[in-house]
Amino acid sequence: MNDRYSRQILFREIGREGQQRLLDSRVLLVGCGALGAAQAEMLARAGVGNLRIVDRDFVEFTNLQRQTLFKESDAAERLPKAIAAKTRIAEINSEINVEAIVADVNNSNVEQLIDGIDLVIDGTDNFQVRYLLNDACVKHGKTWIYGAAVSSYGTTMTIIPGETPCLRCIFEDMPDAGSAPTCDTAGVIMPIIATVSATQVSEAIKLLVGDRAALHGSLMQFDVWQNDRHAIKLGAPNPDCPTCGLLFMPGDLPLNNTCKLMLLKTYTYIRW
Ligand SMILES: [Zn+2]
């Protein structure tokens, strides 16, 4: 292991063993806009060894105010974000393997995308993909870290299937398309991107090095303009949740976790 990670190894909670775990880890970044670009850069610098980046968009000049991996020439050439991110990360840390996938995330590829992945991080800008990701991650027992930012506020939550509530436990119904403000309608400032992505990546590193006790265990909300910060402590998954409810049917103790997961898979296939 070279000197590159020496300051991070000195951080007791990571150490040499934690660093090796980061180098061996595989993380999926869903979306490489503002949140995703910030996440990708932090994870690459930290030495997370394998990043799978999926994004369908191309770099535009309106992205440069907050999407830190990209530069003017990427926008002039309208490079796909996943490709531009891979090129930039190779300049930052050539030891990292980056798999760049230029694609929409949908029903037909979401399970393939999370396959072989240790952890999923949300950098998307829409609820449709988040709910798809939520259901696929719960079904396959993959931890994922929800994150969203618009205007000057943002939110994040770490979802560990079977241990914490999932996105549907908290917000059962997806907001109607066009009903929630977006960066295209309400704008966005970079500090909230930095705040949310830094919280997500902190959680990612804790999970990857195995320090679960340090997770925040909350639905975190921030507003960097109004100076608000809330942490709503999360309990157990909601037994009425349509996505994880089958893992926690009341009185179902004779079912072991494998049975519950099989039931959930069947249920999810029907729903899809
Ligand atoms: Zn749930």
Side-chain angles (χ1 to χ4, degrees):
M1 208 177 290
N2 58 33
D3 283 349
R4 174 191 293 264
Y5 306 113
S6 63
R7 301 303 186 269
Q8 194 164 268
I9 289 168
L10 281 171
F11 180 62
R12 192 167 43 88
E13 287 78 358
I14 295 181
R16 195 162 286 278
E17 190 185 334
Q19 187 60 52
Q20 190 56 53
R21 287 188 185 190
L22 294 178
L23 290 166
D24 294 338
S25 295
R26 292 158 299 174
V27 173
L28 169 66
L29 294 104
V30 183
C32 195
L35 287 173
Q39 296 155 4
E41 179 171 352
M42 281 188 265
L43 293 171
R45 289 189 189 276
V48 172
N50 303 280
L51 302 177
R52 179 178 291 167
I53 299 175
V54 55
D55 193 292
R56 65 179 174 187
D57 290 332
F58 298 82
V59 182
E60 297 177 24
F61 279 95
T62 57
N63 302 149
L64 300 181
Q65 158 254 353
R66 64 195 182 283
Q67 303 191 11
T68 50
L69 278 182
F70 309 130
K71 52 189 195 288
E72 290 180 358
S73 59
D74 298 331
E77 294 170 38
R78 283 187 60 78
L79 287 182
K81 289 183 179 178
I83 304 293
K86 180 183 167 88
T87 305
R88 176 71 181 127
I89 289 169
E91 294 168 345
I92 292 169
N93 188 347
S94 58
E95 296 170 355
I96 300 299
N97 299 312
V98 177
E99 186 184 354
I101 301 174
V102 183
D104 229 351
V105 177
N106 53 41
N107 278 345
S108 62
N109 65 4
V110 66
E111 291 183 80
Q112 200 180 338
L113 289 169
I114 66 173
D115 186 42
I117 287 294
D118 300 313
L119 180 69
V120 178
I121 306 190
D122 174 21
T124 64
D125 57 1
N126 71 84
F127 277 98
Q128 203 174 5
V129 172
R130 288 195 184 103
Y131 277 71
L132 199 61
L133 206 56
N134 180 73
D135 294 353
C137 285
V138 172
K139 174 181 166 186
H140 291 282
K142 305 274 183 191
T143 296
W144 76 285
I145 305 173
Y146 159 60
V150 67
S151 184
S152 61
Y153 54 89
T155 185
T156 178
M157 177 170 84
T158 299
I159 295 163
I160 306 175
E163 291 182 33
T164 71
C166 79
L167 196 61
R168 280 188 202 275
C169 289
I170 309 275
F171 314 105
E172 187 175 338
D173 294 315
M174 194 187 315
D176 293 333
S179 66
T182 69
C183 296
D184 292 341
T185 59
V188 63
I189 56 173
M190 180 145 183
I192 190 60
I193 301 296
T195 302
V196 172
S197 60
T199 309
Q200 289 179 289
V201 171
S202 301
E203 291 280 280
I205 293 174
K206 293 171 195 172
L207 283 159
L208 295 173
V209 304
D211 189 2
R212 288 191 172 212
L215 297 172
H216 59 63
S218 306
L219 176 64
M220 303 281 280
Q221 296 177 317
F222 316 92
D223 190 322
V224 294
W225 203 265
Q226 302 299 329
N227 309 308
D228 280 340
R229 185 187 172 100
H230 296 289
I232 302 164
K233 277 288 168 197
L234 298 173
N238 175 3
D240 296 327
C241 167
T243 299
C244 38
L246 279 171
L247 287 172
F248 298 94
M249 286 186 293
D252 68 344
L253 291 178
L255 283 181
N256 63 28
N257 282 336
T258 310
C259 291
K260 290 180 196 171
L261 273 172
M262 282 173 65
L263 269 172
L264 183 68
K265 280 183 184 176
T266 312
Y267 178 67
T268 316
Y269 278 129
I270 293 166
R271 291 184 57 237
W272 285 357

